[in-house]
Amino acid sequence: LFKIRTDPENAEYVMAEGLRKVQTDTWDAAEAGSMGELPDQETRGRMDVDPMFKLDYNSKKKVVPEKIRKSDLRELYAMSKDREDEYALNSSLRRTFRTMKKEEIAREAEEARPKNFSFPLAEEDPADAVEARRVQFTTDHAKVGAALRRQAKVAESIFVKKGQAKKSGSC
């Protein structure tokens, strides 16, 4: 819970309970250079009457900001020279992060893929791979042939077509 009160004497708010004031700098237009001093009433009147005086007055006021802008540009140029290769470094870093992210996503997808076994498998061992290459499986061709003949009989129609006699023994 916090309480804030107004302070009309100082034209601000007072933090009564639960808060503390953070010190902030106030903005000054003249310090920022955004707004110079306004001319007095006499100068303003003369500027309204005499356009050449107005031009001269305004051009004198612009000389100082131009000098400031030129010095700022020099500083910016010097700073840019220091950081000239920043784009290449940033580009390289982003490329590296993209490849790392792709590898991480691929690894996470592999880990998230369902496994065919309900228990975790042991890690691969090179000795197991060598032993698996040595094993030779033999095929019993007689059993394979019998299974193929049995499949053919099951797939064969039980009805005899016209002009075709049944191959197997019939009654």
Side-chain angles (χ1 to χ4, degrees):
L1 187 66
F2 56 89
K3 292 182 182 178
I4 302 174
R5 294 190 189 126
T6 58
D7 183 10
E9 293 175 12
N10 297 323
E12 61 180 33
Y13 293 102
V14 177
M15 310 302 163
E17 289 180 22
L19 297 173
R20 64 186 163 120
K21 187 171 184 174
V22 177
Q23 195 64 17
T24 58
D25 294 333
T26 56
W27 185 77
D28 185 17
E31 186 179 303
S34 63
M35 187 172 159
E37 293 181 25
L38 295 175
D40 59 352
Q41 198 63 20
E42 181 184 323
T43 308
R44 189 75 199 148
R46 192 166 170 205
M47 285 171 56
D48 289 339
V49 175
D50 188 4
M52 291 304 285
F53 175 75
K54 181 177 182 179
L55 180 66
D56 186 44
Y57 181 82
N58 287 337
S59 64
K60 285 179 185 175
K61 285 182 71 176
K62 288 181 182 177
V63 171
V64 174
E66 281 181 22
K67 288 180 181 177
I68 293 171
R69 271 193 238 122
K70 286 181 182 177
S71 67
D72 288 347
L73 282 174
R74 281 190 210 104
E75 288 175 18
L76 283 172
Y77 184 72
M79 218 165 58
S80 71
K81 279 294 186 186
D82 293 343
R83 298 184 175 124
E84 189 172 316
D85 205 25
E86 233 177 69
Y87 175 78
L89 292 172
N90 192 1
S91 176
S92 172
L93 186 63
R94 283 184 288 130
R95 188 179 316 110
T96 304
F97 284 146
R98 278 194 298 266
T99 56
M100 286 172 50
K101 179 127 180 160
K102 285 180 186 175
E103 290 170 359
E104 183 180 335
I105 289 172
R107 186 174 30 81
E108 287 175 359
E110 179 66 28
E111 290 174 1
R113 201 175 82 210
K115 307 293 187 254
N116 293 334
F117 302 102
S118 61
F119 54 89
L121 298 176
E123 293 295 319
E124 288 185 27
D125 187 18
D128 292 338
V130 170
E131 187 178 339
R133 278 191 220 108
R134 277 195 239 141
V135 174
Q136 300 238 340
F137 294 98
T138 57
T139 306
D140 188 356
H141 294 287
K143 286 184 180 179
V144 171
L148 286 174
R149 283 191 301 278
R150 194 176 314 113
Q151 261 322 93
K153 289 280 185 186
V154 169
E156 189 178 287
S157 175
I158 59 170
F159 299 106
V160 179
K161 293 182 183 177
K162 286 187 179 181
Q164 201 176 39
K166 203 170 187 190
K167 294 179 190 172
S168 62
S170 57
C171 307

